Structures are given as C-alpha cells and as structure tokens.
Amino acid sequence: MKTSRRTLVAAIAAAPLAFGLSLPAFGQKKIVLGFSQIGAESEWRTANSESIKSAAAESGIDLKFSDAQQKQENQIKAIRSFIAQKVDVIGLSPVVESGWDTVLKEAKAAKIPVILTDRSVDSKDTSLYVTFMGSDFAEEGRKAGRWLLEKVKGTSGDVNVVELQGTVGSGPAIDRKKGFEEIIKSEPRIKIIRSQTGDFTRAKGKEVMEAFLKAEGKKINVLYAHNDDMAIGAIQAIEEAGLRPSKDITIISVDAVKGAFEAMIAGKLDVSVECSPLLGPQLMAATKDLIAGKTLPRRIVTEEGIFPMEVAAKEFPKRKY
Ligand code: GZL
C-alpha cells in the first residue's frame, strides 16, 4: 500500500508526542532557554539539574545548559554566551547574591528576559530580572530553630551549637543563618559556639566538623548544617571521633534529599527541613508564559515541609528527590 506523503509527515510530527514530548505548533520556532547552573556540589543540585533538563525536554524547549563548577565568573561567561547566541530567555541560579548588575544589564540591553531560580541576587535594580522562583530560606532557618526550641523544652543546661554554613555570600547561607538565629534568641541556653562554611559539600562539611570536634569536643550538643550533604560529611567525622550522631550530638539539617532520609532511618540525623529542587516544571511554564507575553509574579515561593526522624521511614517511599 502506498503511504501518501501527507500521512508520512503527520506520522513523523506525531512521533515525539508518543514519547510525551511536546513540539511547537508546526512551523513555529522552538523557544530557546539558556540556563546557568551553579555546579554539581550536592544531591540537591543534581536533582535540581535533572528537574530542569527533563522539564525542558517534556516542554519542547531547546535548553542550553551550562555548569559553572560553583564559580561566579563561569556563570557570567555563560550568560554572555547566551546573549551572543540570542537565546529567548535566560535562567540563572546565582552562586552568590552580589556582582551581577553588569552582566544582567547586558542581558537587558539585548532585550533578553532573565528568570532567577533557586537563589536570588542583591541587585537594587529589580528591572534586571523578571521573577525569582525558589524557597524562603529564612523560613527554613526558622523551622530549624523552632524544632530545636521544641527539642530542648523541659530540659536544663547549656545547648552549644556548631553551625556548618553554606557557600559564603549565597542567599541560602545568609538567610538560613538569619532565620535560625531569629528563633533561638528566645532561649539564652542555646548558643552558637562555632560557625564556619562547609560550602554545601560533604567533603568540606566533614573537614570543618573535624576541626569543630578538635576545638570543642564533648562541649558540642547540636550541629546545625545548612544542607544535608554537609550534615552527612559531619556524621562521618562524628563517628570517626568515637561519638554517636543524634545520641551524643543532635543534628539538624536542610534539603530533605534521599541521603538525609537514609541517615534518619539509620538513626544518625534528627531532622531535615525540606527545600525542594524540583523547579524545572515551574521554570518551563514561566518561560512559556514570558514568550506568550504574560506577566509573571515577581516572586514565586516553593511550599515546603519539615521531616523529623520519626516520620522518615514512612515518608521516604513517597519522596521524588
Ligand atoms: C537551596 C540551594 C542550596 C541547597 C544546597 O535552594 O541553593 O544549594 O540547600 C545546594 O544543597 O548546594
């Protein structure tokens, strides 16, 4: 049987849809999104990159993805490359809050809208980006603080905290510290006796916790880590020092990635405050809305929970990252 040319073209056009991929209307140009990602420093970041890549494929958006290995200068280079390629929209997860005005002004001059995801910038000129979608990091810090207040209620004695901060100058590190301190100041027994950056990585978290243990030893009652990867590194240091994570040192963390659930189920982590990396679908929807001429809200906040050790086993099978 002879297949007409028209039938053949229709079949080819329909094929991607059979795999759940959407194509622009026949003949319509694909939207091109340039995305500057921070790096691959943590489980959270890996899940975030996966969410963005899979959502772009499902949305039929042509994604140009750049990994900056946690260096701001590489992100700035990537943005300049996107401008030179004349992409339709630029997505940016800024490694630190400051130092973006010059390159964002170049994007504005090239009439390319910028969407901030995950972290924000401290630019005073808010016309330099269209929207910021991501978590409320200060609220995550407050949730961690409230959990600790509850934990120490009805006890007596010092509550000495060591803190593993995220990347210096990053939104999550600044605000998770601020939110935590805002809450714990109501209980004078809770004191942060050491605080240093572990740069959101397991290796650095372990290294800094080793130094904390050497300096403070059994004086440490609590570890507050700005992400699960540093907490997991610190757990290794605590065990190598002959101490028992959770029993000798209460451990509070943020992200609620798979590794955190595994540590809670093993009885080595007390609680993880959720920070969802699954921003891909929201980013693609916002990109399409922008191209369709719709106005985006200036701030899109991700709704999140908190997972104490007691619920980890029940919740783990439902987790998506
Ligand atoms: C938070 C994100 C942070 C995570 C870390 O939105 O920027 O960076 O908490 C990640 O795990 O490295």
Side-chain angles (χ1 to χ4, degrees), residues 58-304:
E58 282 149 31
S59 314
I61 285 175
D62 178 359
L63 176 68
K64 305 219 178 281
F65 186 92
S66 151
D67 174 332
Q69 287 93 37
Q70 283 190 286
K71 292 183 177 60
Q72 181 174 30
E73 63 266 24
N74 290 346
Q75 290 200 282
I76 291 170
K77 273 188 212 137
I79 293 168
R80 287 190 168 128
S81 162
F82 296 147
I83 293 169
Q85 295 174 63
K86 295 187 172 34
V87 300
D88 297 307
V89 179
I90 289 173
L92 169 65
S93 179
V95 60
V96 292
E97 287 193 334
S98 52
W100 300 98
D101 284 29
T102 303
V103 74
L104 292 181
K105 281 177 184 155
E106 291 167 22
K108 184 179 176 184
K111 297 194 177 6
I112 301 175
V114 175
I115 295 176
L116 299 181
T117 79
D118 164 27
R119 302 181 186 176
S120 191
V121 299
D122 62 7
S123 302
K124 297 286 170 285
D125 178 357
T126 54
S127 75
L128 294 178
Y129 58 90
V130 177
T131 184
F132 163 43
M133 60 175 69
S135 307
D136 179 343
F137 303 124
E139 183 55 21
E140 292 168 349
R142 291 188 203 101
K143 286 176 185 173
R146 291 186 202 113
W147 183 89
L148 183 56
L149 278 188
E150 206 46 45
K151 171 88 180 167
V152 301
K153 210 177 259 177
T155 67
S156 59
D158 291 343
V159 182
N160 294 321
V161 179
V162 292
E163 180 183 30
L164 285 170
Q165 296 181 36
T167 301
V168 175
S170 69
I174 293 165
D175 288 348
R176 284 172 185 165
K177 181 172 188 54
K178 201 188 303 175
F180 184 72
E181 290 173 344
E182 179 189 312
I183 297 298
I184 65 169
K185 69 184 181 208
S186 66
E187 173 47 80
R189 293 189 296 134
I190 303 176
K191 294 185 191 70
I192 298 178
I193 59 172
R194 295 263 170 171
S195 181
Q196 192 178 326
T197 183
D199 209 17
F200 284 131
T201 68
R202 288 191 183 197
K204 199 91 175 87
K206 181 180 182 196
E207 186 189 310
V208 175
M209 189 65 200
E210 284 165 350
F212 286 162
L213 288 160
K214 207 169 279 168
E216 302 292 352
K218 291 199 167 36
K219 263 182 68 186
I220 301 170
N221 306 111
V222 178
L223 163 64
Y224 170 45
H226 290 185
N227 86 327
D228 295 330
D229 288 71
M230 293 189 293
I232 290 163
I235 285 168
Q236 289 167 6
I238 290 166
E239 291 181 315
E240 287 171 11
L243 296 171
R244 299 164 303 166
S246 174
K247 294 162 193 65
D248 296 324
I249 297 178
T250 297
I251 304 178
I252 305 168
S253 184
V254 186
D255 278 351
V257 296
K258 283 192 170 66
F261 279 84
E262 287 158 350
M264 288 192 277
I265 291 165
K268 298 182 180 179
L269 175 65
D270 291 274
V271 59
S272 187
V273 176
E274 186 178 32
C275 174
S276 176
L278 307 180
L279 298 169
Q282 274 178 305
L283 173 57
M284 299 312 145
T287 299
K288 286 190 169 181
D289 284 350
L290 261 185
I291 298 300
K294 291 182 188 162
T295 312
L296 296 181
R298 285 291 304 168
R299 182 75 173 89
I300 304 168
V301 184
T302 333
E303 294 307 318
E304 293 158 343

